[in-house]
Amino acid sequence: MEELELSEKSLVKPPLRNWQGRKEWFFNREHTDTYELWYEGRYKRAEVWQKKIMGRFVKSDPRIKTLLEFGCGTGRFTRWWKEIGIDASGGDISPFMLGQAVHLFGGNLVWADSHFMPFKDHTFDALAFITTFEYYRDPVQVIREAARVGKYGIAFGMMNRNSPKVVRRRVQEAFGKNPFYVTATFYTPEMLTRKIHEALVGRSYTIEWQATGLPEWFPVQEWHVPYGDFFGLFVRFNDVD
């Protein structure tokens, strides 16, 4: 695959603060320019447990050597896939996010819409979505595209609907205090599984999931119970060599 040379200058003019007048936070530089800081602050502990679950899922399938992370943002997780031995590439629809990713991530990046992935069938061994699937307008279409481009599986890292934080976020939105989840649809493992079944009719696959994002004082930090701020879900395809 040819490496796509992206730069912030080539995608957007420096003074531009909002992309095409769209209200989503990832098209607004007020929010995207500080995205990496989330993970270096109070979100750091949550990231550690998220990576434990997602890494275990993907590394459990020895067939997976290459991976495309769509909705890669600034490349936070995309860089980490590389660190654990997966040849990762990234894709995102936000030029502001990719404008940062190109300076932080040394691999391939593509500016594209996940509903119409610009890749041939089975270009990658797997697809990954980390806290981005919640924003897709047609999730079934995105899953079908992921199953077309990713040969062996799809990894989802999701903000869990079964979390007290969801209520807090919606209250904040009602008072105009939290712009990050206005267009988001939160899923539970069961809800996401139903979308997967709808998208993958006729395919042979298995699904496994695990939840985390539990309070630090809680006796366990991950479990197979659909409660917590985050869950990882992995679709493994059985009908390919």
Side-chain angles (χ1 to χ4, degrees):
M1 185 195 316
E2 294 184 2
E3 184 171 353
L4 299 178
E5 296 292 341
L6 296 176
S7 70
E8 191 173 62
K9 183 180 293 186
S10 68
L11 292 176
V12 295
K13 296 180 180 179
L16 188 63
R17 306 301 299 176
N18 184 267
W19 184 249
Q20 297 179 338
R22 297 177 65 168
K23 296 181 179 180
E24 292 95 332
W25 69 267
F26 43 87
F27 288 121
N28 188 322
R29 290 192 64 168
E30 178 184 353
H31 307 304
T32 60
D33 284 359
T34 58
Y35 180 78
E36 284 279 328
L37 297 179
W38 289 10
Y39 288 99
E40 297 301 333
R42 62 182 182 177
Y43 203 58
K44 188 70 175 179
R45 176 177 163 273
E47 180 189 28
V48 170
W49 285 98
Q50 292 171 12
K51 286 179 175 178
K52 285 183 178 181
I53 288 177
M54 301 311 300
R56 187 165 65 244
F57 281 156
V58 172
K59 296 291 284 186
S60 70
D61 190 335
R63 301 174 300 174
I64 298 177
K65 308 297 183 184
T66 63
L67 177 147
L68 171 66
E69 182 188 347
F70 237 104
C72 69
T74 60
R76 183 80 185 191
F77 270 75
T78 327
R79 305 194 297 269
W80 171 74
W81 293 118
K82 290 266 192 179
E83 292 174 7
I84 65 171
I86 302 295
D87 184 7
S89 301
D92 204 287
I93 197 173
S94 168
F96 297 137
M97 288 292 216
L98 287 177
Q100 295 182 66
V102 72
H103 300 294
L104 298 170
F105 175 63
N108 294 317
L109 295 167
V110 62
W111 183 26
D113 185 339
S114 57
H115 296 77
F116 308 98
M117 298 183 186
F119 297 101
K120 296 179 180 179
D121 295 358
H122 296 174
T123 298
F124 299 91
D125 294 334
L127 261 288
F129 302 98
I130 308 297
T131 61
T132 186
F133 192 82
E134 296 86 343
Y135 296 95
Y136 295 141
R137 296 179 179 178
D138 188 344
V140 170
Q141 167 69 10
V142 173
I143 294 170
R144 287 172 178 161
E145 278 290 271
R148 178 184 67 79
V149 175
K151 186 174 183 179
Y152 299 122
I154 310 171
F156 299 87
M158 307 286 289
M159 294 177 281
N160 194 357
R161 189 182 185 93
N162 289 335
S163 167
K165 289 186 179 180
V166 171
V167 177
R168 185 186 70 190
R169 290 165 184 161
R170 294 311 188 200
V171 172
Q172 290 172 337
E173 288 166 15
F175 289 92
K177 300 296 184 181
N178 190 332
F180 299 103
Y181 308 105
V182 174
T183 58
T185 299
F186 297 108
Y187 294 83
T188 65
E190 181 182 4
M191 292 170 62
L192 180 58
T193 297
R194 288 201 298 267
K195 291 293 183 183
I196 292 167
H197 290 334
E198 182 181 351
L200 301 182
V201 174
R203 294 294 305 266
S204 173
Y205 56 91
T206 56
I207 293 176
E208 54 184 318
W209 62 267
Q210 195 83 349
T212 185
L214 298 152
E216 191 171 3
W217 52 262
F218 204 69
V220 297
Q221 289 302 303
E222 59 174 273
W223 60 357
H224 194 67
V225 178
Y227 297 96
D229 296 334
F230 179 93
F231 70 88
L233 185 149
F234 184 57
V235 179
R236 186 191 311 268
F237 294 128
N238 304 317
D239 53 1
V240 290
D241 296 328

